[in-house]
Amino acid sequence: MEYFNSRLLFISICSLLISSQLPARSQISGELSLDTTWSRVIYLSMIPGFDQLNAMSNQMIIDRAAIDENGNFSFTTNYFPYEYYLYRLHISKKGDPPASLIIGGNDENHIFLIANKQSDITIRNRDSESIFGQVEIQNSPQSQLLYEIDKMVLFVDTANFNGSPLKRELMENALDEKLRQIADTCTFPLTGIYAIYKSNFEAHKATNSEFYVSFIKKWKQEKSTYFDEFGKKIPVKTDRNLSYVSLIFGLIIGIFLMYFIQKRVVEKSVNPIRELTVQERNIYTMLQKGSSNKEISDELNISLSTVKSHVNSIFSKLKVKSRREILNL
Amino acid sequence: MKKSFVTIFTTLSLFLFLTNFASAQETTIFGIHRNIELKNESQTKEVKIEMNEKECRFNLRINSVVRGGEVTIEIYNPNGKKQGNFSVGCEIQSDHAQETVNGQISKFIDNPELGDWKILIIPKNAEGKVTIEFTQDVIKTSSN
């Protein structure tokens, strides 16, 4: 009873701790420091697939919010799906249309987040050359990891490799490998796919196909459009396919085995004479000519009983019962 | 008097040294500027950029303004590896309601692959404009 009470107490404390950690509000909010070249409106877009990471249209924008004089903004997320999706926050330059995407350089105007209905994400930018150059993302480790991945890619893209294209290529390959490691060890499935997409995976599809297949298998419980899209690019061999392959392989092996066994049997049946000794072969040759035991005895200078013994042995080895059968061989 | 003369002389010497050091790095800029108008265009266009100088910085900025249809921009290095892309598209297209979508990509690469870089402009019933600005800044550092 005492054990039961202490366990109940433990569960109650855990529940309290967990409930205190749960997000109280469903929102994406933040504080952005902007200069006067930017409009004070922030846009939220839903990214339906990783192929649309760098796509922009008005239809992708699902919400907009004003940025107040202190740089604060807020979006509610209570209408988001329960499943995690990829979202993009962006700001437009003054005079540009709302649907403006700037990739790279100091004017890069967007950041990606992973969120769902219950997300309560806060972002803050710090002093940097670009708006999202130094950003702190709270309550969303998967979004923070997306941001870190983008910084890694940008670093290798713009780093000076002292005039050596080979060194750049090696660094790019090392980055791709590092991104695959992140995808492999990451506990967030969407962040994992994001790392793979950033690792130039289309170029490595043939060389690392096993890795991609194992990644899909690892997250086979994930039912999302992102995984469907990725799975189509990396064809996974199903068990059914595997069983067909095994069946075909087994049949081929079986056919080969039967062929060799039959060949050996035929060889054996065609050449039983090889099993005869030299003396027996001599006697066999004379038997085929129709010689009697006496004639063989005289010709080979051996006793009659020896001839009979050899003849019996020949009959046995050739599996015949009479001299007539030997004549027909 | 002597002390202030030494101070002025040292300051001037330091200034001259620093000026000389700074002028040891000279930058030569080769630029390309292209404007491509798209009028209900659906044919892929290819723009080649020749990178022929070592020790340089590759500066590329592609801007597209689309008022109808879609445009996809893809950048490839001389080895054929994709170095960047974006796409912009409009859904509404009528005389009364017109939307505009902007897309821009900037690439800055120090000591990039030498050879012909390729920019593919893939429009689909596109109305708008694509601007390509490219410079290669050659940084020459003198030995003295």
Side-chain angles (χ1 to χ4, degrees), chain A residues 54-59 97 99-103 105 157-158 160 163 168 172 200, chain B residues 81 85-89 91 99-111:
Chain A
N54 296 336
M56 174 57 87
S57 69
N58 280 304
Q59 283 62 43
S100 291
L101 182 66
I102 303 175
I103 301 164
D157 204 20
T158 55
N160 188 338
R168 174 175 292 282
E172 284 175 353
N200 193 25
Chain B
K81 188 177 176 185
N85 70 295
F86 73 87
S87 60
V88 284
E91 294 286 323
E99 63 172 317
T100 305
V101 181
N102 274 14
Q104 183 182 304
I105 188 166
S106 299
K107 295 291 289 181
F108 309 103
I109 305 172
D110 284 343
N111 298 309

PDB file of all heavy atoms in Angstrom, chain A residues 54-59 97 99-103 105 157-158 160 163 168 172 200, chain B residues 81 85-89 91 99-111:
ATOM      1  N   ASN A  54      12.108  26.805 -52.043  1.00  0.00           N
ATOM      2  CA  ASN A  54      12.507  28.068 -52.668  1.00  0.00           C
ATOM      3  C   ASN A  54      11.464  28.571 -53.642  1.00  0.00           C
ATOM      4  O   ASN A  54      11.793  29.204 -54.639  1.00  0.00           O
ATOM      5  CB  ASN A  54      13.855  27.899 -53.392  1.00  0.00           C
ATOM      6  CG  ASN A  54      14.970  27.587 -52.429  1.00  0.00           C
ATOM      7  OD1 ASN A  54      14.883  27.913 -51.246  1.00  0.00           O
ATOM      8  ND2 ASN A  54      16.004  26.933 -52.911  1.00  0.00           N
ATOM      9  N   ALA A  55      10.210  28.233 -53.374  1.00  0.00           N
ATOM     10  CA  ALA A  55       9.132  28.696 -54.252  1.00  0.00           C
ATOM     11  C   ALA A  55       8.327  29.773 -53.544  1.00  0.00           C
ATOM     12  O   ALA A  55       8.224  29.777 -52.315  1.00  0.00           O
ATOM     13  CB  ALA A  55       8.224  27.531 -54.619  1.00  0.00           C
ATOM     14  N   MET A  56       7.797  30.691 -54.322  1.00  0.00           N
ATOM     15  CA  MET A  56       6.984  31.767 -53.741  1.00  0.00           C
ATOM     16  C   MET A  56       5.790  32.064 -54.631  1.00  0.00           C
ATOM     17  O   MET A  56       5.924  32.167 -55.860  1.00  0.00           O
ATOM     18  CB  MET A  56       7.845  33.030 -53.568  1.00  0.00           C
ATOM     19  CG  MET A  56       7.074  34.242 -53.101  1.00  0.00           C
ATOM     20  SD  MET A  56       6.190  33.973 -51.543  1.00  0.00           S
ATOM     21  CE  MET A  56       7.462  34.380 -50.357  1.00  0.00           C
ATOM     22  N   SER A  57       4.643  32.137 -53.994  1.00  0.00           N
ATOM     23  CA  SER A  57       3.428  32.605 -54.674  1.00  0.00           C
ATOM     24  C   SER A  57       2.492  33.122 -53.586  1.00  0.00           C
ATOM     25  O   SER A  57       2.657  32.792 -52.405  1.00  0.00           O
ATOM     26  CB  SER A  57       2.765  31.475 -55.467  1.00  0.00           C
ATOM     27  OG  SER A  57       2.217  30.526 -54.584  1.00  0.00           O
ATOM     28  N   ASN A  58       1.517  33.907 -53.993  1.00  0.00           N
ATOM     29  CA  ASN A  58       0.563  34.443 -53.007  1.00  0.00           C
ATOM     30  C   ASN A  58      -0.252  33.329 -52.368  1.00  0.00           C
ATOM     31  O   ASN A  58      -0.684  33.459 -51.218  1.00  0.00           O
ATOM     32  CB  ASN A  58      -0.369  35.448 -53.691  1.00  0.00           C
ATOM     33  CG  ASN A  58       0.295  36.798 -53.846  1.00  0.00           C
ATOM     34  OD1 ASN A  58       0.751  37.389 -52.880  1.00  0.00           O
ATOM     35  ND2 ASN A  58       0.383  37.276 -55.075  1.00  0.00           N
ATOM     36  N   GLN A  59      -0.450  32.223 -53.116  1.00  0.00           N
ATOM     37  CA  GLN A  59      -1.249  31.119 -52.582  1.00  0.00           C
ATOM     38  C   GLN A  59      -0.557  30.416 -51.428  1.00  0.00           C
ATOM     39  O   GLN A  59      -1.208  29.746 -50.622  1.00  0.00           O
ATOM     40  CB  GLN A  59      -1.551  30.099 -53.689  1.00  0.00           C
ATOM     41  CG  GLN A  59      -2.643  30.532 -54.650  1.00  0.00           C
ATOM     42  CD  GLN A  59      -2.290  31.789 -55.417  1.00  0.00           C
ATOM     43  OE1 GLN A  59      -1.160  31.938 -55.886  1.00  0.00           O
ATOM     44  NE2 GLN A  59      -3.240  32.704 -55.540  1.00  0.00           N
ATOM     45  N   PRO A  97       6.185  43.534 -53.577  1.00  0.00           N
ATOM     46  CA  PRO A  97       4.907  42.889 -53.259  1.00  0.00           C
ATOM     47  C   PRO A  97       5.052  41.954 -52.045  1.00  0.00           C
ATOM     48  O   PRO A  97       6.178  41.575 -51.697  1.00  0.00           O
ATOM     49  CB  PRO A  97       4.591  42.095 -54.528  1.00  0.00           C
ATOM     50  CG  PRO A  97       5.888  41.902 -55.198  1.00  0.00           C
ATOM     51  CD  PRO A  97       6.741  43.071 -54.846  1.00  0.00           C
ATOM     52  N   ALA A  99       4.412  38.844 -51.811  1.00  0.00           N
ATOM     53  CA  ALA A  99       5.036  37.587 -52.218  1.00  0.00           C
ATOM     54  C   ALA A  99       6.424  37.867 -52.790  1.00  0.00           C
ATOM     55  O   ALA A  99       6.610  37.948 -54.006  1.00  0.00           O
ATOM     56  CB  ALA A  99       4.153  36.879 -53.241  1.00  0.00           C
ATOM     57  N   SER A 100       7.377  38.070 -51.917  1.00  0.00           N
ATOM     58  CA  SER A 100       8.759  38.338 -52.330  1.00  0.00           C
ATOM     59  C   SER A 100       9.689  37.395 -51.584  1.00  0.00           C
ATOM     60  O   SER A 100       9.642  37.318 -50.358  1.00  0.00           O
ATOM     61  CB  SER A 100       9.168  39.775 -51.976  1.00  0.00           C
ATOM     62  OG  SER A 100       8.470  40.680 -52.761  1.00  0.00           O
ATOM     63  N   LEU A 101      10.491  36.705 -52.345  1.00  0.00           N
ATOM     64  CA  LEU A 101      11.432  35.768 -51.723  1.00  0.00           C
ATOM     65  C   LEU A 101      12.847  36.192 -52.091  1.00  0.00           C
ATOM     66  O   LEU A 101      13.169  36.330 -53.276  1.00  0.00           O
ATOM     67  CB  LEU A 101      11.156  34.345 -52.229  1.00  0.00           C
ATOM     68  CG  LEU A 101      12.020  33.236 -51.635  1.00  0.00           C
ATOM     69  CD1 LEU A 101      11.728  33.063 -50.144  1.00  0.00           C
ATOM     70  CD2 LEU A 101      11.785  31.924 -52.354  1.00  0.00           C
ATOM     71  N   ILE A 102      13.665  36.408 -51.080  1.00  0.00           N
ATOM     72  CA  ILE A 102      15.066  36.779 -51.328  1.00  0.00           C
ATOM     73  C   ILE A 102      15.942  35.695 -50.703  1.00  0.00           C
ATOM     74  O   ILE A 102      15.864  35.445 -49.496  1.00  0.00           O
ATOM     75  CB  ILE A 102      15.404  38.165 -50.736  1.00  0.00           C
ATOM     76  CG1 ILE A 102      14.462  39.226 -51.307  1.00  0.00           C
ATOM     77  CG2 ILE A 102      16.856  38.521 -51.018  1.00  0.00           C
ATOM     78  CD1 ILE A 102      14.629  40.614 -50.709  1.00  0.00           C
ATOM     79  N   ILE A 103      16.734  35.062 -51.546  1.00  0.00           N
ATOM     80  CA  ILE A 103      17.586  33.959 -51.095  1.00  0.00           C
ATOM     81  C   ILE A 103      19.039  34.404 -51.164  1.00  0.00           C
ATOM     82  O   ILE A 103      19.510  34.843 -52.207  1.00  0.00           O
ATOM     83  CB  ILE A 103      17.374  32.710 -51.981  1.00  0.00           C
ATOM     84  CG1 ILE A 103      15.906  32.266 -51.947  1.00  0.00           C
ATOM     85  CG2 ILE A 103      18.269  31.568 -51.542  1.00  0.00           C
ATOM     86  CD1 ILE A 103      15.538  31.300 -53.058  1.00  0.00           C
ATOM     87  N   GLY A 105      22.625  36.409 -49.466  1.00  0.00           N
ATOM     88  CA  GLY A 105      23.033  37.800 -49.299  1.00  0.00           C
ATOM     89  C   GLY A 105      22.475  38.425 -48.033  1.00  0.00           C
ATOM     90  O   GLY A 105      21.774  37.771 -47.246  1.00  0.00           O
ATOM     91  N   ASP A 157      29.181  27.393 -48.573  1.00  0.00           N
ATOM     92  CA  ASP A 157      28.897  28.058 -49.849  1.00  0.00           C
ATOM     93  C   ASP A 157      29.753  29.303 -50.042  1.00  0.00           C
ATOM     94  O   ASP A 157      30.221  29.591 -51.141  1.00  0.00           O
ATOM     95  CB  ASP A 157      27.411  28.433 -49.861  1.00  0.00           C
ATOM     96  CG  ASP A 157      26.887  28.567 -51.274  1.00  0.00           C
ATOM     97  OD1 ASP A 157      27.535  28.023 -52.171  1.00  0.00           O
ATOM     98  OD2 ASP A 157      25.850  29.210 -51.456  1.00  0.00           O
ATOM     99  N   THR A 158      29.954  30.042 -48.972  1.00  0.00           N
ATOM    100  CA  THR A 158      30.614  31.338 -49.119  1.00  0.00           C
ATOM    101  C   THR A 158      32.057  31.362 -48.600  1.00  0.00           C
ATOM    102  O   THR A 158      32.714  32.389 -48.698  1.00  0.00           O
ATOM    103  CB  THR A 158      29.815  32.433 -48.371  1.00  0.00           C
ATOM    104  OG1 THR A 158      29.646  32.013 -47.019  1.00  0.00           O
ATOM    105  CG2 THR A 158      28.466  32.650 -49.001  1.00  0.00           C
ATOM    106  N   ASN A 160      36.047  30.970 -48.192  1.00  0.00           N
ATOM    107  CA  ASN A 160      37.166  31.115 -49.125  1.00  0.00           C
ATOM    108  C   ASN A 160      38.084  29.909 -48.968  1.00  0.00           C
ATOM    109  O   ASN A 160      38.590  29.637 -47.893  1.00  0.00           O
ATOM    110  CB  ASN A 160      37.933  32.407 -48.794  1.00  0.00           C
ATOM    111  CG  ASN A 160      38.970  32.713 -49.846  1.00  0.00           C
ATOM    112  OD1 ASN A 160      39.400  31.831 -50.572  1.00  0.00           O
ATOM    113  ND2 ASN A 160      39.355  33.967 -49.927  1.00  0.00           N
ATOM    114  N   GLY A 163      41.701  29.423 -53.345  1.00  0.00           N
ATOM    115  CA  GLY A 163      41.948  29.139 -54.753  1.00  0.00           C
ATOM    116  C   GLY A 163      42.012  27.686 -55.123  1.00  0.00           C
ATOM    117  O   GLY A 163      42.536  27.355 -56.175  1.00  0.00           O
ATOM    118  N   ARG A 168      37.391  22.878 -52.203  1.00  0.00           N
ATOM    119  CA  ARG A 168      35.967  23.217 -52.101  1.00  0.00           C
ATOM    120  C   ARG A 168      35.113  21.966 -52.286  1.00  0.00           C
ATOM    121  O   ARG A 168      34.171  21.725 -51.538  1.00  0.00           O
ATOM    122  CB  ARG A 168      35.593  24.271 -53.150  1.00  0.00           C
ATOM    123  CG  ARG A 168      34.105  24.579 -53.209  1.00  0.00           C
ATOM    124  CD  ARG A 168      33.800  25.703 -54.169  1.00  0.00           C
ATOM    125  NE  ARG A 168      34.324  26.971 -53.690  1.00  0.00           N
ATOM    126  CZ  ARG A 168      33.738  27.706 -52.747  1.00  0.00           C
ATOM    127  NH1 ARG A 168      32.619  27.297 -52.199  1.00  0.00           N
ATOM    128  NH2 ARG A 168      34.283  28.832 -52.351  1.00  0.00           N
ATOM    129  N   GLU A 172      32.596  20.364 -49.648  1.00  0.00           N
ATOM    130  CA  GLU A 172      31.173  20.161 -49.972  1.00  0.00           C
ATOM    131  C   GLU A 172      30.765  18.713 -49.710  1.00  0.00           C
ATOM    132  O   GLU A 172      29.697  18.452 -49.165  1.00  0.00           O
ATOM    133  CB  GLU A 172      30.905  20.543 -51.437  1.00  0.00           C
ATOM    134  CG  GLU A 172      30.873  22.047 -51.650  1.00  0.00           C
ATOM    135  CD  GLU A 172      30.741  22.454 -53.104  1.00  0.00           C
ATOM    136  OE1 GLU A 172      30.808  21.596 -53.991  1.00  0.00           O
ATOM    137  OE2 GLU A 172      30.592  23.661 -53.350  1.00  0.00           O
ATOM    138  N   ASN A 200      22.304  17.781 -51.062  1.00  0.00           N
ATOM    139  CA  ASN A 200      22.436  17.540 -52.500  1.00  0.00           C
ATOM    140  C   ASN A 200      22.150  16.067 -52.816  1.00  0.00           C
ATOM    141  O   ASN A 200      22.882  15.408 -53.548  1.00  0.00           O
ATOM    142  CB  ASN A 200      23.860  17.929 -52.936  1.00  0.00           C
ATOM    143  CG  ASN A 200      23.998  18.026 -54.439  1.00  0.00           C
ATOM    144  OD1 ASN A 200      23.027  18.260 -55.140  1.00  0.00           O
ATOM    145  ND2 ASN A 200      25.207  17.831 -54.926  1.00  0.00           N
TER     146      ASN A 200
ATOM    147  N   LYS B  81      26.782  20.851 -61.222  1.00  0.00           N
ATOM    148  CA  LYS B  81      26.135  20.731 -59.906  1.00  0.00           C
ATOM    149  C   LYS B  81      25.248  21.946 -59.653  1.00  0.00           C
ATOM    150  O   LYS B  81      25.695  23.084 -59.838  1.00  0.00           O
ATOM    151  CB  LYS B  81      27.206  20.622 -58.819  1.00  0.00           C
ATOM    152  CG  LYS B  81      26.645  20.308 -57.452  1.00  0.00           C
ATOM    153  CD  LYS B  81      27.768  20.154 -56.439  1.00  0.00           C
ATOM    154  CE  LYS B  81      27.205  19.938 -55.060  1.00  0.00           C
ATOM    155  NZ  LYS B  81      28.252  19.898 -54.040  1.00  0.00           N
ATOM    156  N   ASN B  85      18.493  27.638 -56.680  1.00  0.00           N
ATOM    157  CA  ASN B  85      17.294  27.710 -57.513  1.00  0.00           C
ATOM    158  C   ASN B  85      16.178  28.436 -56.759  1.00  0.00           C
ATOM    159  O   ASN B  85      16.221  28.541 -55.533  1.00  0.00           O
ATOM    160  CB  ASN B  85      16.820  26.310 -57.912  1.00  0.00           C
ATOM    161  CG  ASN B  85      16.265  25.541 -56.744  1.00  0.00           C
ATOM    162  OD1 ASN B  85      16.987  25.226 -55.803  1.00  0.00           O
ATOM    163  ND2 ASN B  85      14.988  25.260 -56.776  1.00  0.00           N
ATOM    164  N   PHE B  86      15.238  28.926 -57.499  1.00  0.00           N
ATOM    165  CA  PHE B  86      14.000  29.408 -56.900  1.00  0.00           C
ATOM    166  C   PHE B  86      12.926  29.446 -57.973  1.00  0.00           C
ATOM    167  O   PHE B  86      13.230  29.380 -59.170  1.00  0.00           O
ATOM    168  CB  PHE B  86      14.178  30.781 -56.238  1.00  0.00           C
ATOM    169  CG  PHE B  86      14.330  31.938 -57.180  1.00  0.00           C
ATOM    170  CD1 PHE B  86      13.216  32.604 -57.680  1.00  0.00           C
ATOM    171  CD2 PHE B  86      15.584  32.377 -57.563  1.00  0.00           C
ATOM    172  CE1 PHE B  86      13.347  33.684 -58.544  1.00  0.00           C
ATOM    173  CE2 PHE B  86      15.725  33.444 -58.434  1.00  0.00           C
ATOM    174  CZ  PHE B  86      14.623  34.101 -58.917  1.00  0.00           C
ATOM    175  N   SER B  87      11.700  29.499 -57.533  1.00  0.00           N
ATOM    176  CA  SER B  87      10.618  29.640 -58.509  1.00  0.00           C
ATOM    177  C   SER B  87       9.555  30.568 -57.960  1.00  0.00           C
ATOM    178  O   SER B  87       9.308  30.594 -56.748  1.00  0.00           O
ATOM    179  CB  SER B  87      10.033  28.278 -58.872  1.00  0.00           C
ATOM    180  OG  SER B  87       9.512  27.659 -57.741  1.00  0.00           O
ATOM    181  N   VAL B  88       8.981  31.335 -58.843  1.00  0.00           N
ATOM    182  CA  VAL B  88       7.923  32.265 -58.462  1.00  0.00           C
ATOM    183  C   VAL B  88       6.758  32.073 -59.427  1.00  0.00           C
ATOM    184  O   VAL B  88       6.957  31.782 -60.605  1.00  0.00           O
ATOM    185  CB  VAL B  88       8.405  33.736 -58.493  1.00  0.00           C
ATOM    186  CG1 VAL B  88       9.268  34.058 -57.308  1.00  0.00           C
ATOM    187  CG2 VAL B  88       9.161  34.053 -59.775  1.00  0.00           C
ATOM    188  N   GLY B  89       5.552  32.207 -58.902  1.00  0.00           N
ATOM    189  CA  GLY B  89       4.402  31.970 -59.754  1.00  0.00           C
ATOM    190  C   GLY B  89       3.191  32.764 -59.338  1.00  0.00           C
ATOM    191  O   GLY B  89       3.051  33.157 -58.183  1.00  0.00           O
ATOM    192  N   GLU B  91      -1.156  32.949 -59.722  1.00  0.00           N
ATOM    193  CA  GLU B  91      -2.359  32.177 -60.044  1.00  0.00           C
ATOM    194  C   GLU B  91      -3.365  33.050 -60.803  1.00  0.00           C
ATOM    195  O   GLU B  91      -3.968  32.627 -61.760  1.00  0.00           O
ATOM    196  CB  GLU B  91      -3.007  31.662 -58.754  1.00  0.00           C
ATOM    197  CG  GLU B  91      -2.156  30.655 -58.004  1.00  0.00           C
ATOM    198  CD  GLU B  91      -2.139  29.294 -58.669  1.00  0.00           C
ATOM    199  OE1 GLU B  91      -3.170  28.887 -59.197  1.00  0.00           O
ATOM    200  OE2 GLU B  91      -1.066  28.649 -58.663  1.00  0.00           O
ATOM    201  N   GLU B  99      -1.582  40.198 -60.006  1.00  0.00           N
ATOM    202  CA  GLU B  99      -0.690  40.070 -58.864  1.00  0.00           C
ATOM    203  C   GLU B  99       0.757  40.071 -59.346  1.00  0.00           C
ATOM    204  O   GLU B  99       1.041  39.729 -60.500  1.00  0.00           O
ATOM    205  CB  GLU B  99      -0.988  38.794 -58.076  1.00  0.00           C
ATOM    206  CG  GLU B  99      -0.773  37.514 -58.853  1.00  0.00           C
ATOM    207  CD  GLU B  99      -0.884  36.278 -57.979  1.00  0.00           C
ATOM    208  OE1 GLU B  99      -0.335  36.300 -56.861  1.00  0.00           O
ATOM    209  OE2 GLU B  99      -1.503  35.310 -58.427  1.00  0.00           O
ATOM    210  N   THR B 100       1.618  40.455 -58.458  1.00  0.00           N
ATOM    211  CA  THR B 100       3.043  40.462 -58.779  1.00  0.00           C
ATOM    212  C   THR B 100       3.774  39.634 -57.731  1.00  0.00           C
ATOM    213  O   THR B 100       3.466  39.718 -56.540  1.00  0.00           O
ATOM    214  CB  THR B 100       3.601  41.905 -58.755  1.00  0.00           C
ATOM    215  OG1 THR B 100       2.810  42.689 -59.635  1.00  0.00           O
ATOM    216  CG2 THR B 100       5.037  41.947 -59.196  1.00  0.00           C
ATOM    217  N   VAL B 101       4.710  38.840 -58.185  1.00  0.00           N
ATOM    218  CA  VAL B 101       5.519  38.035 -57.273  1.00  0.00           C
ATOM    219  C   VAL B 101       6.991  38.278 -57.599  1.00  0.00           C
ATOM    220  O   VAL B 101       7.376  38.272 -58.768  1.00  0.00           O
ATOM    221  CB  VAL B 101       5.176  36.528 -57.394  1.00  0.00           C
ATOM    222  CG1 VAL B 101       6.004  35.707 -56.423  1.00  0.00           C
ATOM    223  CG2 VAL B 101       3.705  36.283 -57.142  1.00  0.00           C
ATOM    224  N   ASN B 102       7.755  38.503 -56.554  1.00  0.00           N
ATOM    225  CA  ASN B 102       9.191  38.754 -56.736  1.00  0.00           C
ATOM    226  C   ASN B 102      10.012  37.579 -56.221  1.00  0.00           C
ATOM    227  O   ASN B 102       9.686  36.994 -55.183  1.00  0.00           O
ATOM    228  CB  ASN B 102       9.627  39.976 -55.906  1.00  0.00           C
ATOM    229  CG  ASN B 102       9.413  41.264 -56.651  1.00  0.00           C
ATOM    230  OD1 ASN B 102       8.713  41.301 -57.655  1.00  0.00           O
ATOM    231  ND2 ASN B 102      10.022  42.328 -56.147  1.00  0.00           N
ATOM    232  N   GLY B 103      11.071  37.301 -56.914  1.00  0.00           N
ATOM    233  CA  GLY B 103      12.022  36.307 -56.432  1.00  0.00           C
ATOM    234  C   GLY B 103      13.427  36.805 -56.693  1.00  0.00           C
ATOM    235  O   GLY B 103      13.689  37.433 -57.725  1.00  0.00           O
ATOM    236  N   GLN B 104      14.293  36.560 -55.743  1.00  0.00           N
ATOM    237  CA  GLN B 104      15.670  37.035 -55.920  1.00  0.00           C
ATOM    238  C   GLN B 104      16.628  36.040 -55.278  1.00  0.00           C
ATOM    239  O   GLN B 104      16.351  35.503 -54.206  1.00  0.00           O
ATOM    240  CB  GLN B 104      15.828  38.395 -55.246  1.00  0.00           C
ATOM    241  CG  GLN B 104      17.206  39.003 -55.433  1.00  0.00           C
ATOM    242  CD  GLN B 104      17.317  40.333 -54.700  1.00  0.00           C
ATOM    243  OE1 GLN B 104      16.528  41.242 -54.923  1.00  0.00           O
ATOM    244  NE2 GLN B 104      18.291  40.440 -53.816  1.00  0.00           N
ATOM    245  N   ILE B 105      17.718  35.792 -55.964  1.00  0.00           N
ATOM    246  CA  ILE B 105      18.742  34.933 -55.375  1.00  0.00           C
ATOM    247  C   ILE B 105      20.091  35.612 -55.534  1.00  0.00           C
ATOM    248  O   ILE B 105      20.382  36.219 -56.570  1.00  0.00           O
ATOM    249  CB  ILE B 105      18.736  33.516 -56.013  1.00  0.00           C
ATOM    250  CG1 ILE B 105      19.672  32.578 -55.245  1.00  0.00           C
ATOM    251  CG2 ILE B 105      19.098  33.544 -57.483  1.00  0.00           C
ATOM    252  CD1 ILE B 105      19.467  31.113 -55.580  1.00  0.00           C
ATOM    253  N   SER B 106      20.875  35.561 -54.476  1.00  0.00           N
ATOM    254  CA  SER B 106      22.232  36.126 -54.512  1.00  0.00           C
ATOM    255  C   SER B 106      23.222  35.026 -54.173  1.00  0.00           C
ATOM    256  O   SER B 106      23.015  34.281 -53.219  1.00  0.00           O
ATOM    257  CB  SER B 106      22.370  37.248 -53.479  1.00  0.00           C
ATOM    258  OG  SER B 106      21.469  38.274 -53.777  1.00  0.00           O
ATOM    259  N   LYS B 107      24.259  34.916 -54.970  1.00  0.00           N
ATOM    260  CA  LYS B 107      25.313  33.935 -54.691  1.00  0.00           C
ATOM    261  C   LYS B 107      26.639  34.661 -54.617  1.00  0.00           C
ATOM    262  O   LYS B 107      27.007  35.408 -55.533  1.00  0.00           O
ATOM    263  CB  LYS B 107      25.403  32.895 -55.818  1.00  0.00           C
ATOM    264  CG  LYS B 107      24.221  32.000 -55.994  1.00  0.00           C
ATOM    265  CD  LYS B 107      24.013  31.023 -54.883  1.00  0.00           C
ATOM    266  CE  LYS B 107      25.027  29.933 -54.851  1.00  0.00           C
ATOM    267  NZ  LYS B 107      24.764  28.970 -53.756  1.00  0.00           N
ATOM    268  N   PHE B 108      27.338  34.464 -53.520  1.00  0.00           N
ATOM    269  CA  PHE B 108      28.688  35.014 -53.365  1.00  0.00           C
ATOM    270  C   PHE B 108      29.602  33.844 -53.063  1.00  0.00           C
ATOM    271  O   PHE B 108      29.461  33.211 -52.028  1.00  0.00           O
ATOM    272  CB  PHE B 108      28.751  36.001 -52.198  1.00  0.00           C
ATOM    273  CG  PHE B 108      27.690  37.063 -52.254  1.00  0.00           C
ATOM    274  CD1 PHE B 108      26.581  36.987 -51.436  1.00  0.00           C
ATOM    275  CD2 PHE B 108      27.804  38.128 -53.125  1.00  0.00           C
ATOM    276  CE1 PHE B 108      25.588  37.950 -51.486  1.00  0.00           C
ATOM    277  CE2 PHE B 108      26.817  39.095 -53.181  1.00  0.00           C
ATOM    278  CZ  PHE B 108      25.703  39.015 -52.361  1.00  0.00           C
ATOM    279  N   ILE B 109      30.511  33.573 -53.970  1.00  0.00           N
ATOM    280  CA  ILE B 109      31.424  32.448 -53.753  1.00  0.00           C
ATOM    281  C   ILE B 109      32.853  32.910 -53.997  1.00  0.00           C
ATOM    282  O   ILE B 109      33.167  33.443 -55.067  1.00  0.00           O
ATOM    283  CB  ILE B 109      31.094  31.255 -54.681  1.00  0.00           C
ATOM    284  CG1 ILE B 109      29.628  30.835 -54.510  1.00  0.00           C
ATOM    285  CG2 ILE B 109      32.005  30.081 -54.392  1.00  0.00           C
ATOM    286  CD1 ILE B 109      29.162  29.792 -55.518  1.00  0.00           C
ATOM    287  N   ASP B 110      33.693  32.699 -52.992  1.00  0.00           N
ATOM    288  CA  ASP B 110      35.113  33.017 -53.166  1.00  0.00           C
ATOM    289  C   ASP B 110      35.808  31.845 -53.828  1.00  0.00           C
ATOM    290  O   ASP B 110      35.608  30.696 -53.443  1.00  0.00           O
ATOM    291  CB  ASP B 110      35.760  33.298 -51.802  1.00  0.00           C
ATOM    292  CG  ASP B 110      35.367  34.672 -51.293  1.00  0.00           C
ATOM    293  OD1 ASP B 110      34.902  35.488 -52.100  1.00  0.00           O
ATOM    294  OD2 ASP B 110      35.515  34.911 -50.081  1.00  0.00           O
ATOM    295  N   ASN B 111      36.635  32.137 -54.799  1.00  0.00           N
ATOM    296  CA  ASN B 111      37.380  31.116 -55.548  1.00  0.00           C
ATOM    297  C   ASN B 111      36.470  29.991 -56.045  1.00  0.00           C
ATOM    298  O   ASN B 111      36.608  28.847 -55.648  1.00  0.00           O
ATOM    299  CB  ASN B 111      38.498  30.530 -54.676  1.00  0.00           C
ATOM    300  CG  ASN B 111      39.487  31.586 -54.281  1.00  0.00           C
ATOM    301  OD1 ASN B 111      39.983  32.312 -55.131  1.00  0.00           O
ATOM    302  ND2 ASN B 111      39.758  31.684 -52.988  1.00  0.00           N
TER     303      ASN B 111
END
